[in-house]
Amino acid sequence: MSHDIWVWVAALLTLCILSFLYKDNPFYKFAEYLLIGVALGFGIAIVWYNIIIPKIWIPLRYQHQYHLFIPACLGSLYICRLFPKYAWLSRWPIAFSLGASIGMSLPLTLQAGIFKQVQSTMLSGFSISAIIAFIGVVATLIYFYFSAEHKGFVGGVAKTGIWYVMISFGAIFGYTVMARMSLIIGRFEFLLHNWLGVIK
Amino acid sequence: MWNKLLNLDRRWIFIVTAICVILPFLFPIGFPTNVTPPTQRIYDKIESVTEDGPAVIVSFDSDAAPLPELYPMAVSLIRHCFINNTKVILWGMNMQGVGIIQMALEDVKKDFPEKKSGINYVLIPYLPYPAIIIMKMGEDMHKAFNTDYYGVSIDSLPMMKDIRNFDQIALAVSLTGGSAWGTWVSFANQKYGCKVATGITAVGAPDCYPYLQTGQLVGMLGGMKGAAEYETLVEAKIAEKGLNFKTRKAACIGMDTQSVVHIVMIIFIILGNIAYFVTRRQRNVA
């Protein structure tokens, strides 16, 4: 059994969270709120020491980079959300962030996520997997095309599309089970190995 | 009987699952781990990097939630780089990610006490707006990060003297429980041609397959299975080199449990379906 107090703290909090599987209870609530508080505190500390001090305060105070005053002021407007009368001012930094990030990411995301994917769907060779992928893309797109009634040829292709969709749901569900089980495996491994020491 | 099964208290299912999780830990079965091509490609890419060649980026772009899947990946990747004397840059897009990758580094360093910060590896602190940081890395890493995690100027680090941008990066591996790999693909691969791979939680793995097919992702470690595969490859490398490390194959140990629980899940699904159809037929007859 571990002699590390922090392992004990983590183990007891793990048990608190797992107790929710029986039913909602104060131990679960305590662990849940503690997590939220700790995560928020951690975030504030990281932002303070990694961003505000080295990226704003030091350049402004010691390196005389006064142009940083503009983004610093713009960012500070987020605080206005706390005051209903001036909350509208917080929309300015939100608008700036949204505009900048969409402008930056849109062309690259379209290139990487749409054009390159469409290009690879073209039948450049006659491999079986390429043909299967091509039929799947076309059939699934037709299934989601609702301007024509799903009857006759269109209906047949749409039915093929729904088969592709169902198979992909099955694959996603299988992977999801694996992911969720990994979480519980990780916790039990921690309890049995790090805390209780019953497994090596 | 079937009606009873359909109305079974879900807590019985939790108990059965818990038993099936615990038993394989206590009595390991040792299911074999077969390495899949997406995992092999990441391994081969790192193997192809020479000692004085380009560096590898390992970025932990997630919080602590998917630790059981991603942590063994981080440990194996860093270990692999250290065995090959490959330079490695460690980072995290996520606030907690930097702390987690540092934890993985400290774990691996127990077997490699001679590895030094700034010479064999560089740990980068958390910075906000990852897309902007990646773009700045593509221009000049020395401007993207002024200092390393320990506050030492990037310019003064011997390892970083020849590393300016993605031209000196052989591979960037994003370990993520979300869509951070997409940011690497869009900004590092699409804009600067940097080779990108991902280690991802199982729930996100299906999204990556189209990008593997196009080659936008060099490889993928999918969930605990991917982590176990990489552990197996690194374990074989350790044996081949005749090294004596106390490696704990956390993902391989977990995969025994994973396999048993999956069988139980399949049985649950089959039983649930039988119960549904039998009771529906009984209702129709009545």
Side-chain angles (χ1 to χ4, degrees), chain B residues 14 36 42 48 60 67 79 84 104 122 130 134 145-146 149 153 161 163 189 229 237 239 243 252:
Chain B
F14 295 153
T36 52
I42 297 180
S48 72
F60 202 100
L67 223 54
R79 196 185 297 276
N84 287 0
V122 171
I134 292 173
F145 318 113
N146 309 118
Y149 182 81
S153 165
K161 272 197 179 122
I163 300 174
N189 175 261
E229 289 174 14
K237 177 89 184 175
L243 300 168
C252 286

Side-chain angles (χ1 to χ4, degrees), chain B residues 205-267:
Chain B
D207 293 341
C208 294
Y209 280 101
Y211 292 83
L212 284 171
Q213 190 214 351
T214 56
Q216 289 165 287
L217 284 173
V218 171
M220 175 186 79
L221 307 177
M224 192 173 266
K225 170 82 166 75
E229 289 174 14
Y230 211 85
E231 273 181 355
T232 306
L233 286 169
V234 175
E235 182 77 1
K237 177 89 184 175
I238 291 167
E240 178 196 311
K241 288 237 174 188
L243 300 168
N244 186 23
F245 295 151
K246 293 172 195 116
T247 50
R248 189 169 182 277
K249 297 198 294 173
C252 286
I253 294 166
M255 276 313 289
D256 263 1
T257 307
Q258 188 81 255
S259 304
V260 171
V261 175
H262 272 215
I263 292 167
V264 172
M265 284 291 144
I266 291 167
I267 293 169

Side-chain angles (χ1 to χ4, degrees), chain A residues 85-153:
Chain A
K85 198 176 169 187
Y86 301 105
W88 59 276
L89 279 171
S90 66
R91 290 183 204 145
W92 291 3
I94 293 171
F96 182 84
S97 304
L98 274 177
S101 56
I102 290 172
M104 263 190 324
S105 63
L106 201 61
L108 291 169
T109 309
L110 279 176
Q111 281 283 343
I114 307 276
F115 299 145
K116 198 107 181 182
Q117 293 298 318
V118 170
Q119 190 186 349
S120 73
T121 312
M122 305 292 176
L123 279 173
S124 52
F126 280 100
S127 69
I128 291 176
S129 57
I131 294 167
I132 292 171
F134 177 77
I135 295 170
V137 170
V138 173
T140 307
L141 283 174
I142 286 181
Y143 173 73
F144 286 106
Y145 182 74
F146 299 115
S147 296
E149 207 174 341
H150 287 186
K151 271 183 176 175
F153 176 72

